[in-house]
Amino acid sequence: MSDINFDVVITGGGISGLIAGIELAGSGASVAVISRGDPAVCLSTGCIDLLALGNDPLSAINELPPVHPYNLVPHTIIEEAIVKFGDIMFDAGLPYIGNVHSNRKILTPIGNSKTTCLVPRTMETAPQDETPYVHVIGFKGLKDFYPSYITSNRSNTGFSIYDAGVESTMSISSRFDDSGFIEEFIKWLRSLEIPDGRIALPAVLGLTEPLKAIELITESTERLVFEIPTLPPSIPGMRLFRILKKALQSKGGEIFWGLPTASVEKQGKLIEALTIETHARHTRLNAKAFILASGSFVSGGLYADMKDKVQETVFDLPVFVPGTRDSWFGNEFFTRGHEIEKAGILTDSSFRPVDAPYENLFVCGSILAHSEVMKNGCGHGLGLATGLAAAKSCERYLS
């Protein structure tokens, strides 16, 4: 077994873990991030949902129940987290549009609107109502995006289908990273008789330079052009994840990817080390402090057995569980607000877990109890805010 020493080890490579790692590495700490695989952010729209209540998401936080984890974070820290995120994305060439005091709409692949806060510039010109005509471009054989879903649910809409020669979101996106392919696509697009209005494409306009593709298509067609998030896998989610991952590495952070945690070493009130399984031998990651950012059920941070027990899968922390299993779900599965969404880790104001003895462990992201991410529409926003807040608490502990 090999040993590596860090100041901080973070379990979970999603948006909360990465922003915590970027903050700590930027302050001079040696940081490692462990992840069992690509995080849930790669399945997301790539937009930052701060809080989908009302038009002013930051002010609407005051309307949440007192137990919601947003109420552990000062509004100044929430604003700071959004600014830091915006700076990272701008520097990487994929700026985000929006601010903490204004929600906006994006068009979904089924033709309705979704409330969010910050969007990548590739989605900036999505219509905020049904007034403008939208011409949707689909791709032959692409099973993650059907323009007819949009035209059947949204008035004032038409569509055309392009044959890109490949049929998956990843393959089509890779083709848009080729300027020659973009030229051929624009040539085809200009041959169409599209009514006045906007042009919408599934979010496949390249993994590396989607803005370049948007600008070329906009200039050539003299129309506003925007992307629509597709079903997973999500190219905007992958772009977001890759940029944050690269930002962490640029500050010296190390990433251990695709490696599960094999064991945890504890001594009294301290977590001392995590051991990860590698192909040849196990590696012990020793650290002065740890951050749990492993996500909720979807990411495997929580696991529910067939009875009433919910387990936290890394440190075996106490989990708040809302009642018995028969009360966890409502009668309609797709209705928001299932009780089980409240399950998670309770923390104090410094983001240390309550009813656990560890003074060098901090928790952030959707694994926090009472988050109710789906109900409140607050996924990535909560991840950024609590990730930064937990990192600041960790910084104070290390000092």
Side-chain angles (χ1 to χ4, degrees):
M1 179 180 292
S2 61
D3 279 63
I4 309 176
N5 297 321
F6 294 96
D7 291 321
V8 185
V9 169
I10 299 169
T11 60
I15 199 163
S16 60
L18 289 174
I19 204 71
I22 291 167
E23 172 69 12
L24 286 160
S27 69
S30 58
V31 176
V33 172
I34 305 169
S35 180
R36 285 182 292 189
D38 287 349
V41 64
C42 294
L43 307 177
S44 74
T45 62
C47 300
I48 304 300
D49 301 344
L50 188 57
L51 182 62
L53 300 177
N55 294 322
D56 184 341
L58 187 62
S59 298
I61 287 173
N62 297 325
E63 301 173 18
L64 290 171
V67 292
H68 194 280
Y70 258 144
N71 288 311
L72 297 173
V73 189
H75 285 198
T76 53
I77 300 297
I78 297 173
E79 292 182 275
E80 182 182 345
I82 295 298
V83 169
K84 285 179 180 287
F85 168 79
D87 289 345
I88 293 169
M89 302 308 290
F90 180 85
D91 291 343
L94 185 59
Y96 270 58
I97 308 300
N99 64 78
V100 297
H101 290 293
S102 181
N103 272 328
R104 61 194 302 141
K105 304 287 187 182
I106 58 170
L107 191 60
T108 74
I110 60 172
N112 58 15
S113 293
K114 177 185 183 299
T115 299
T116 188
C117 183
L118 273 65
V119 300
R121 184 165 285 173
T122 60
M123 300 180 193
E124 180 182 11
T125 60
Q128 300 302 295
D129 56 44
E130 295 207 3
T131 303
Y133 172 80
V134 174
H135 197 85
V136 182
I137 303 299
F139 290 85
K140 184 180 179 181
L142 179 59
K143 294 181 173 59
D144 298 327
F145 186 83
Y146 295 94
S148 58
Y149 287 180
I150 298 173
T151 56
S152 62
N153 287 315
R154 186 185 189 279
S155 60
N156 206 15
T157 311
F159 74 91
S160 300
I161 301 294
Y162 183 69
D163 186 356
V166 291
E167 299 181 348
S168 70
T169 51
M170 284 296 295
S171 298
I172 298 171
S173 186
S174 295
R175 299 218 64 184
F176 270 102
D177 285 328
D178 177 356
S179 59
F181 176 81
I182 295 175
E183 289 178 10
E184 288 297 317
F185 175 75
I186 289 174
K187 182 179 178 181
W188 169 81
L189 198 59
R190 294 183 64 179
S191 71
L192 304 177
E193 295 182 0
I194 299 176
D196 290 339
R198 307 184 188 196
I199 295 175
L201 297 102
V204 295
L205 295 182
L207 274 168
T208 58
E209 295 184 293
L211 278 186
K212 178 182 175 182
I214 283 274
E215 289 168 359
L216 287 171
I217 297 169
T218 299
E219 181 180 348
S220 299
T221 61
E222 298 182 338
R223 310 290 177 87
L224 295 177
V225 181
F226 65 94
E227 284 188 311
I228 300 174
T230 66
L231 299 174
S234 163
I235 300 299
M238 290 181 188
R239 294 173 191 148
L240 169 56
F241 166 64
R242 291 184 179 194
I243 289 172
L244 291 180
K245 185 178 172 183
K246 189 174 181 180
L248 172 64
Q249 292 172 316
S250 72
K251 294 181 182 298
E254 291 194 36
I255 296 178
F256 296 85
W257 216 256
L259 302 172
T261 301
S263 63
V264 178
E265 295 180 31
K266 309 169 184 175
Q267 181 67 41
K269 295 182 178 180
L270 298 177
I271 305 291
E272 295 188 329
L274 293 178
T275 301
I276 54 175
E277 298 176 1
T278 58
H279 298 301
R281 57 183 178 178
H282 286 189
T283 299
R284 180 189 290 118
L285 305 181
N286 305 295
K288 301 171 184 173
F290 295 80
I291 293 179
L292 176 65
S294 54
S296 186
F297 294 101
V298 174
S299 301
L302 297 177
Y303 173 78
D305 65 18
M306 295 307 293
K307 298 181 179 178
D308 295 336
K309 185 178 180 182
V310 178
Q311 180 184 6
E312 186 278 303
T313 59
V314 178
F315 298 101
D316 196 24
L317 296 174
V319 178
F320 169 79
V321 181
T324 57
R325 174 175 272 275
D326 58 4
S327 67
W328 288 356
F329 299 96
N331 293 329
E332 300 291 336
F333 181 78
F334 290 105
T335 300
R336 291 183 177 184
H338 297 290
E339 282 294 292
I340 192 60
E341 276 198 79
K342 297 177 181 175
I345 308 301
L346 293 166
T347 72
D348 61 19
S349 59
S350 65
F351 289 89
R352 290 181 172 90
V354 300
D355 297 324
Y358 312 116
E359 61 185 35
N360 66 337
L361 176 61
F362 305 87
V363 185
C364 60
S366 61
I367 197 172
L368 292 168
H370 301 287
S371 295
E372 295 190 277
V373 166
M374 295 296 292
K375 175 184 176 181
N376 295 314
C378 63
H380 288 346
L382 184 71
L384 289 172
T386 59
L388 181 62
K392 287 181 178 294
S393 289
C394 187
E395 285 175 0
R396 287 191 289 272
Y397 171 77
L398 292 173
S399 64

